[in-house]
Amino acid sequence: MQKPIGIFDSGVGGTSIWKEIRRKLPNEDTIYLADSKNAPYGSKSKEEILNLSIKNVELLLKENSKIIVVACNTATTNAIDHLRKTYEVPFIGIEPAIKPAALRTQTKKVGILATKGTLSSSLFHNTSKMYAEGITVLEQEGKGLVELIEQGKQNSEEVKQLLCDYLNPMLAAEIDSLVLGCTHYPYLIPALQEILPEHIHIIDSGEAVARQTKAVLEKQGLLSLSNTKGASKFYTNGSYEVLQQLVGKQTKVSQLDF
Ligand code: DGL
């Protein structure tokens, strides 16, 4: 079906998910909303996150989206139940990858870096309880990181200093796996690789989300029948430079007030 896959995030972070979707479903059209004007979502109340998510979904539906990917852990953990109950279109969400980390850890200690909104959500707590039995999960709010990534400063000294502050206690506690619980954080991987010892496994959910998107489209008969490369549209209500840099010059980015 030649309708786009709609994707939204509080800003540029969800482009890490868009890249995985593009890789797995190259012939699909995509439309991406970067709600950078309202970033970060992570420090907002559940109600505010829900209202922002509804606003984004309404716009994606106006643009004819056949499925919506909530490319934001904070919006998924706080709003996806409501969205699924309210709209007919299928939703794909993203949650911190606690399960794969719990299955893989040898030290039985796993670190998770996420926003306050995700860490305080009941969905995250339930997932953690379900999959991390017998495992110590060290939770850390990545305060300030989303704002710096929104400014294109993912490789700055400021980011590296924050990461050291946040990760040193986890390293002292002997974690062997670090879950990236925010879609902005895959852009920190080069900085993380400088800071973390080699044996620490970094886990994010991007590829799993793309796999799940493909499976749901297949199951519901919604896959594109086109055999040419799909088109990608990007809208931001913030500054477009950082978004443009992350998605590449050849991709069209437009500014829109939403
Ligand atoms: N990318 C969002 C997430 O995955 C960032 C949240 C924020 O805006 O604070 O949680």
Side-chain angles (χ1 to χ4, degrees):
M1 187 197 263
Q2 217 40 42
K3 282 181 173 185
I5 298 175
I7 305 169
F8 79 86
D9 180 38
S10 62
V12 300
T15 56
S16 62
I17 306 297
W18 169 78
K19 286 177 185 170
E20 298 289 350
I21 289 174
R22 221 44 206 145
R23 206 166 291 148
K24 227 173 223 40
L25 294 160
N27 299 341
E28 295 288 344
D29 291 343
T30 60
I31 169 159
Y32 182 101
L33 299 184
D35 192 11
S36 293
K37 187 174 80 181
N38 294 301
Y41 282 10
S43 50
K44 294 187 163 47
S45 69
K46 187 177 166 75
E47 198 191 346
E48 284 173 302
I49 297 166
L50 181 59
N51 288 334
L52 292 168
S53 300
I54 290 171
K55 162 189 74 81
N56 298 331
V57 166
E58 297 278 346
L59 179 52
L60 288 172
L61 290 177
K62 244 193 230 155
E63 292 279 332
N64 235 349
S65 301
K66 60 183 172 184
I67 188 168
I68 292 180
V69 179
V70 183
C72 175
N73 292 259
T74 312
T76 299
T77 50
N78 286 280
I80 203 159
D81 289 347
H82 177 91
L83 298 176
R84 285 192 171 127
K85 276 187 217 141
T86 310
Y87 301 97
E88 269 176 29
V89 73
F91 283 90
I92 306 293
I94 177 162
E95 277 186 74
I98 290 287
K99 186 180 173 188
L103 290 172
R104 193 176 194 286
T105 178
Q106 299 286 312
T107 59
K108 304 281 174 223
K109 286 179 185 126
V110 165
I112 164 155
L113 198 58
T115 68
K116 189 167 144 209
T118 294
L119 294 174
S120 62
S121 68
S122 47
L123 189 58
F124 170 71
H125 275 281
N126 294 341
T127 311
S128 222
K129 231 204 272 150
M130 191 152 42
Y131 296 115
E133 217 192 307
I135 311 272
T136 306
V137 180
L138 288 105
E139 298 174 12
Q140 173 63 54
E141 180 192 342
K143 208 168 180 199
L145 293 172
V146 166
E147 289 90 327
L148 288 165
I149 297 164
E150 284 292 314
Q151 294 166 43
K153 293 184 180 163
Q154 55 271 25
N155 288 312
S156 63
E157 283 313 311
E158 221 175 330
V159 155
K160 286 178 197 163
Q161 190 53 54
L162 282 180
L163 287 175
C164 284
D165 293 348
Y166 296 157
L167 299 175
N168 281 340
M170 294 189 189
L171 294 176
E174 297 190 328
I175 62 156
D176 62 358
S177 307
L178 175 69
V179 176
L180 302 183
C182 170
T183 55
H184 281 69
Y185 298 168
Y187 289 114
L188 299 175
I189 289 176
L192 285 167
Q193 282 167 339
E194 274 180 42
I195 291 163
L196 292 173
E198 250 174 44
H199 73 278
I200 308 273
H201 193 64
I202 301 171
I203 303 173
D204 83 86
S205 323
E207 203 266 339
V209 170
R211 211 179 325 119
Q212 178 66 2
T213 306
K214 186 174 178 190
V216 171
L217 288 177
E218 235 157 32
K219 198 167 161 210
Q220 304 208 8
L222 294 173
L223 276 175
S224 159
L225 301 173
S226 156
N227 47 20
T228 57
K229 206 167 168 215
S232 299
K233 271 201 230 170
F234 283 83
Y235 290 117
T236 177
N237 54 17
S239 76
Y240 72 91
E241 286 90 349
V242 176
L243 184 57
Q244 187 78 68
Q245 200 187 329
L246 293 176
V247 298
K249 279 203 188 79
Q250 66 293 346
T251 310
K252 191 169 160 44
V253 173
S254 310
Q255 272 172 318
L256 185 74
D257 196 21
F258 61 89

